[in-house]
Amino acid sequence: IMPVYDLGVAVNNWLPEDLGYKAWTTDPATMSNAVLMVTAGALHLQRLKLRSPAPITNVHLFLSAGGTSLTVGQCFAGLYNGAGTLIGTTADQSTAWLTAGVQNMALVGGPFTPPSGDIFVACYVNTAGALPTFRTCGTPTSGVNVGTPARFTTANTGLTTALPGTLGAQTVTGQTYWAAVS
């Protein structure tokens, strides 16, 4: 049986709104192995496509395993617009990221309504122990960033107590963390 298409999308595919999200990196059914966030204090970015303006209250990441001895006041997630300007940030996640599972993180002062287009879910962590592992969108590879713009990147290093107001130069990475917004 051939799939039926609506606007080029197979209608039997799951879309973010089918599971209560506004946008995601990929269908969570395609998540794969854990990947260690290899650089403490570096901002890890996942580019999402927001199809229409929508109020966003939460960002979501999926941890395969929690970290240990995470530095209090130095573990955050946030939301950036396509131009790289900070829209909103979560409270410190040093306690939440000790535990595996979907992390539903409220944006302080939200909801925020970015325009349609690209948005970034961002996160960084510092620890005296083990870094948490995040679920991936498939096999980590630099091939996920074929074309422009790159979907998975890092930026801004040496972060401690706050997300930067604007993104620095981005570096492509093959680490494809699953992320969503709601």
Side-chain angles (χ1 to χ4, degrees):
I1 296 177
M2 295 294 293
V4 176
Y5 289 86
D6 181 17
L7 300 175
V9 177
V11 295
N12 60 343
N13 288 345
W14 287 86
L15 300 173
E17 54 272 12
D18 296 331
L19 297 177
Y21 299 110
K22 308 280 172 77
W24 60 26
T25 50
T26 190
D27 181 342
T30 66
M31 283 191 276
S32 183
N33 307 356
V35 171
L36 183 65
M37 186 179 287
V38 295
T39 307
L43 196 60
H44 293 264
L45 302 166
Q46 300 81 38
R47 185 185 301 262
L48 286 69
K49 193 63 84 175
L50 191 61
R51 299 290 176 194
S52 61
I56 296 175
T57 305
N58 301 294
V59 294
H60 310 272
L61 295 167
F62 193 113
L63 273 64
S64 300
T68 60
S69 302
L70 300 182
T71 306
V72 174
Q74 295 190 21
C75 302
F76 292 93
L79 183 67
Y80 287 83
N81 66 22
T85 302
L86 183 63
I87 295 172
T89 187
T90 66
D92 175 59
Q93 300 296 308
S94 60
T95 300
W97 291 353
L98 296 173
T99 305
V102 175
Q103 304 294 314
N104 304 309
M105 302 164 285
L107 294 169
V108 176
F112 301 97
T113 306
S116 60
D118 292 345
I119 56 173
F120 295 93
V121 170
C123 65
Y124 75 91
V125 61
N126 285 304
T127 181
L131 291 162
T133 55
F134 291 82
R135 294 295 298 263
T136 69
C137 299
T139 305
T141 174
S142 59
V144 298
N145 285 304
V146 170
T148 301
R151 292 177 56 198
F152 304 95
T153 59
T154 59
N156 304 77
T157 59
L159 299 176
T160 55
T161 59
L163 288 165
T166 57
L167 297 175
Q170 295 180 40
T171 303
V172 172
T173 180
Q175 295 181 334
T176 60
Y177 304 108
W178 180 84
V181 294
S182 65

